[in-house]
Amino acid sequence: MPSYTAPTKDMQFLLHEMLNVSAVDVPGYDELEADFTGAVLEEAGKLASEVLAPLNTVGDTEGCVLENGVVRTPTGFKDAFKQMQEGGWTALDCDPEYGGQGMPYLLGTAVGEIFVGANMAFNMYQGLTHGAYSAIHAHGSDEQKATYLPKMVTCEWTGTMNLTEPHCGTDLGLMRTKAEPQDDGSYKITGQKIFISAGEHDMAENIIHLVLAKIPGGPEGIKGVSLFIVPKFLVNQDGSLGARNGVSCGKIEEKMGIHGNSTCVMNYDGATGYLIGTEHKGMRAMFTMMNEARMGVGLQGYAQAEAAYQNAVIYANDRLQGRDVTGAKNPDGPADPLIVHPDIRRSLMDQKSCVEGARALTFWGAHLIDRSHRADDKDAEGLISLLTPVIKGFQTDKGFEMAIQAQQVYGGHGYIEEWGMSQFARDARIAMIYEGANGVQALDLVGRKLAQDGGKHVMAFFDMVKTFIKENGGDEAFDKDFLDPLKSASKDLQAAGMFFMQQGMKNPNNALAGSYDFMHLFGHVCLGLMWARMGLAAKSALDAGASDTEFYKTKLATGRYYMARHLPATKMHLARIESGADTVMALEAENF
């Protein structure tokens, strides 16, 4: 059975040396002293390794079962969920007014990675609840917040998001679910939603569904969509549970991975729902949940790669296979361990450098969200809006790729279920699809986010990179290893943006055909910036005489690898972008 150990040391490095959080002027960050965050992460790590990780294989093999309208979760899930609730983990970064602990989103992100790495399917039950909580907190009425949030903070009640229908996924303007107004101010919701994660289960007293539907007579398309709270059980005036609502699980989807999470078809048969916000403005409210979810899915991508990498390292050190070409490293044994071979080292370095870079980018993104929400920083809000499709799309693509590389280290054993590597690959695969497939993320990045606020935020990103290079140059070795590659990659990104400006106006397909490459190009530059920042922090620690020299030397070596072996991909992506749309659109539809 695979194991999992929380990467708390690397997280502490990011929090206190790269981001230097306790010195940052964001409300609540003064509480993030190293001793405090260390204690929180260590306790989360214990729960993850001792309780959640052993259930990961159980969830994968047992799955969820629908019996008489109730979904039974895998063995051990209910007890683990109770431990999660009793430990206060579901309330970590929620509003104290509703029973939360009020910690920064950044700390919740770090803890979230630990739980996702240990058991992604299990963590989705509380993860979706947090997103639903955020949508109601941002857009619900005072009465709605008082009614639902306290129980959702504790996960006594869990939450879902209901967007997709059998005939429409990304194009939500095509939805058919109807919301008929009632005399008492409620609505009757009728329709079917599919792919609803945690849509029905046996771990909570109530499930609060957030459902997109159309009120008859409203505008056509996406402008006519509204958002509704539809509880599984209606809630009485005194907060107690009332009658069962007209919502039920029709089936559980049989899927490739995340078997421990119930992915449901949900049927709404005149179910009572309550409008969130104003009529026909549902997408604005739902996007609060979706943007948070996209950040969380980007985290899922690299967290699965981290878990797979940890096990690949163990296997590479234990498995004897062949001899080192430079001389035997295990002369008393029949062969040397796999890790002596350069190609295995390459694979492990790919995994390590991508995972650690993605973690840094995600933590920085969470910090930008804190700046936006806690310090009302509009520039931070604009920057994280720009980066969200990169974090979601690039990191889930790379996360899956690295999970596959970890599986490859095992050779044939990686293909055998008992070793557990297949599950990491299968679970990571969904992250590239849900919360907006990665092709859609690329279109959002190029079609909307680049031009947002007149291109202000992408220009701010370029200025940030330029300033960082200018302010931290001067050390010949560091410049050569980190800053020069970052400067070159940033120029490639700017050239790609310029191509879109010049050619996209003439032919929009020139921009859209290059959008996926642009997302990856942008992702590499982001990770290059993160590695330069991590490299600077590690160098500073060594210059200051830090005692743990191996950690910092390892960090620098890993960063050099990324800059030398991964960052040059920006030139490939730029060449593809500048080739335009002609070759992409050359065939008529019937010729495929």
Side-chain angles (χ1 to χ4, degrees):
M1 179 184 294
S3 62
Y4 175 78
T5 302
T8 54
K9 190 167 187 177
D10 197 53
M11 291 178 170
Q12 285 285 83
F13 167 77
L14 294 177
L15 292 174
H16 300 289
E17 298 184 69
M18 190 189 88
L19 294 173
N20 194 18
V21 290
S22 60
V24 172
D25 186 21
V26 172
Y29 272 36
D30 56 336
E31 298 183 47
L32 301 183
E33 296 290 344
D35 288 346
F36 173 71
T37 59
V40 171
L41 296 177
E42 288 298 330
E43 286 302 311
K46 288 179 184 177
L47 180 62
S49 60
E50 296 173 8
V51 177
L52 303 186
L55 293 175
N56 200 36
T57 301
V58 175
D60 188 53
T61 53
E62 288 188 15
C64 296
V65 180
L66 179 62
E67 296 177 344
N68 300 318
V70 177
V71 171
R72 308 296 179 193
T73 49
T75 302
F77 270 45
K78 287 178 74 172
D79 288 342
F81 202 67
K82 188 175 181 180
Q83 290 187 56
M84 184 80 73
Q85 293 171 306
E86 291 174 345
W89 296 108
T90 64
L92 193 66
D93 61 346
C94 296
D95 190 342
E97 185 175 346
Y98 303 104
Q101 298 176 39
M103 289 291 106
Y105 181 71
L106 174 56
L107 185 59
T109 297
V111 170
E113 183 200 323
I114 292 172
F115 294 154
V116 171
N119 194 324
M120 176 172 159
F122 175 88
N123 194 67
M124 288 172 65
Y125 291 97
Q126 70 159 353
L128 269 294
T129 304
H130 193 287
Y133 152 88
S134 296
I136 296 172
H137 189 272
H139 302 283
S141 66
D142 289 342
E143 181 182 358
Q144 288 171 340
K145 288 188 271 191
T147 299
Y148 298 105
L149 295 189
K151 297 284 190 180
M152 295 176 76
V153 165
T154 61
C155 273
E156 292 170 81
W157 300 352
T158 58
T160 70
M161 56 194 297
N162 286 237
L163 290 79
T164 306
E165 299 183 9
H167 61 285
C168 71
T170 301
D171 192 354
L172 293 172
L174 299 176
M175 72 174 57
R176 297 171 184 158
T177 300
K178 293 287 188 288
E180 297 280 356
Q182 304 299 298
D183 293 339
D184 63 358
S186 67
Y187 293 76
K188 291 297 182 186
I189 312 296
T190 302
Q192 186 180 78
K193 298 289 185 175
I194 63 171
F195 306 156
I196 309 306
S197 299
E200 170 61 38
H201 59 87
D202 58 358
M203 299 194 299
E205 298 171 356
N206 203 3
I207 301 176
I208 311 304
H209 302 289
L210 297 193
V211 183
L212 287 177
K214 288 186 174 181
I215 300 170
E220 291 295 317
I222 200 69
K223 294 182 178 180
V225 171
S226 301
L227 183 63
F228 301 87
I229 296 173
V230 186
K232 175 181 174 181
F233 290 99
L234 298 174
V235 182
N236 297 321
Q237 287 289 333
D238 63 0
S240 63
L241 296 183
R244 175 71 187 255
N245 206 353
V247 53
S248 61
C249 174
K251 65 174 284 192
I252 300 175
E253 301 287 4
E254 294 186 21
K255 52 192 189 293
M256 180 178 175
I258 54 169
H259 295 150
N261 194 269
S262 53
T263 305
C264 301
V265 173
M266 302 301 297
N267 297 317
Y268 294 86
D269 301 303
T272 299
Y274 308 96
L275 181 68
I276 298 180
T278 56
E279 293 183 352
H280 318 311
K281 301 295 183 184
M283 288 310 300
R284 179 172 174 267
M286 183 58 87
F287 263 109
T288 295
M289 187 173 184
M290 288 177 68
N291 284 332
E292 178 180 312
R294 285 171 177 172
M295 285 286 293
V297 170
L299 181 152
Q300 286 180 338
Y302 81 80
Q304 289 304 287
E306 165 70 35
Y309 163 74
Q310 288 184 16
N311 287 277
V313 170
I314 293 170
Y315 188 83
N317 277 287
D318 290 346
R319 175 75 167 178
L320 301 182
Q321 202 86 156
R323 288 293 188 191
D324 187 336
V325 294
T326 64
K329 296 297 186 290
N330 179 33
D332 296 331
D336 289 332
L338 278 174
I339 202 163
V340 305
H341 303 301
D343 192 60
I344 295 294
R345 294 288 186 95
R346 173 202 56 78
S347 174
L348 294 176
M349 286 294 281
D350 280 350
Q351 296 165 54
K352 181 176 176 64
S353 63
C354 286
V355 166
E356 292 181 13
R359 177 179 297 120
L361 179 57
T362 301
F363 279 28
W364 180 50
H367 163 66
L368 291 174
I369 289 175
D370 279 332
R371 292 199 72 90
S372 169
H373 292 173
R374 291 172 170 256
D376 196 29
D377 186 333
K378 298 302 181 186
D379 290 336
E381 181 179 355
L383 187 55
I384 191 56
S385 177
L386 171 71
L387 295 176
T388 294
V390 179
I391 290 172
K392 194 281 184 185
F394 178 70
Q395 289 188 179
T396 56
D397 278 356
K398 286 296 176 184
F400 177 69
E401 180 185 335
M402 295 308 137
I404 293 295
Q405 287 219 38
Q407 184 186 31
Q408 188 77 8
V409 169
Y410 281 67
H413 291 295
Y415 201 67
I416 304 299
E417 290 293 344
E418 70 179 274
W419 287 88
M421 299 306 288
S422 166
Q423 184 185 353
F424 294 128
R426 289 184 286 104
D427 286 358
R429 184 64 183 89
I430 185 57
M432 300 162 71
I433 299 172
Y434 61 14
E435 304 307 338
N438 286 356
V440 175
Q441 300 300 322
L443 295 179
D444 178 46
L445 174 63
V446 171
R448 293 179 62 244
K449 298 299 175 62
L450 285 185
Q452 192 171 356
D453 296 329
K456 172 183 176 181
H457 307 299
V458 71
M459 294 307 297
F461 178 84
F462 290 139
D463 287 342
M464 181 188 306
V465 174
K466 184 177 179 180
T467 300
F468 177 85
I469 293 170
K470 183 177 180 181
E471 291 180 349
N472 295 290
D475 182 294
E476 184 177 348
F478 188 76
D479 290 355
K480 177 177 177 292
D481 293 339
F482 288 91
L483 298 186
D484 291 348
L486 176 60
K487 185 177 182 179
S488 176
S490 181
K491 287 183 177 179
D492 291 338
L493 184 62
Q494 292 177 65
M498 186 63 67
F499 176 83
F500 289 157
M501 287 179 61
Q502 294 172 344
Q503 300 296 323
M505 297 296 290
K506 301 176 185 176
N507 178 6
N509 281 341
N510 280 328
L512 299 184
S515 61
Y516 210 93
D517 279 286
F518 186 82
M519 180 178 73
H520 273 249
L521 200 168
F522 207 151
H524 279 297
V525 174
C526 286
L527 261 62
L529 175 61
M530 292 302 103
W531 271 115
R533 292 181 66 181
M534 286 189 283
L536 183 65
K539 176 180 176 295
S540 298
L542 288 171
D543 290 345
S547 57
D548 192 358
T549 57
E550 281 306 306
F551 175 84
Y552 296 111
K553 288 179 179 178
T554 298
K555 185 64 69 175
L556 283 166
T558 308
R560 291 188 196 100
Y561 180 88
Y562 190 88
M563 304 307 263
R565 301 281 299 221
H566 283 271
L567 201 54
T570 59
K571 302 201 178 306
M572 174 192 72
H573 291 300
L574 177 60
R576 289 174 173 175
I577 289 166
E578 291 180 337
S579 71
D582 289 349
T583 56
V584 175
M585 306 301 291
L587 296 183
E588 298 298 327
E590 58 270 19
N591 292 333
F592 280 91

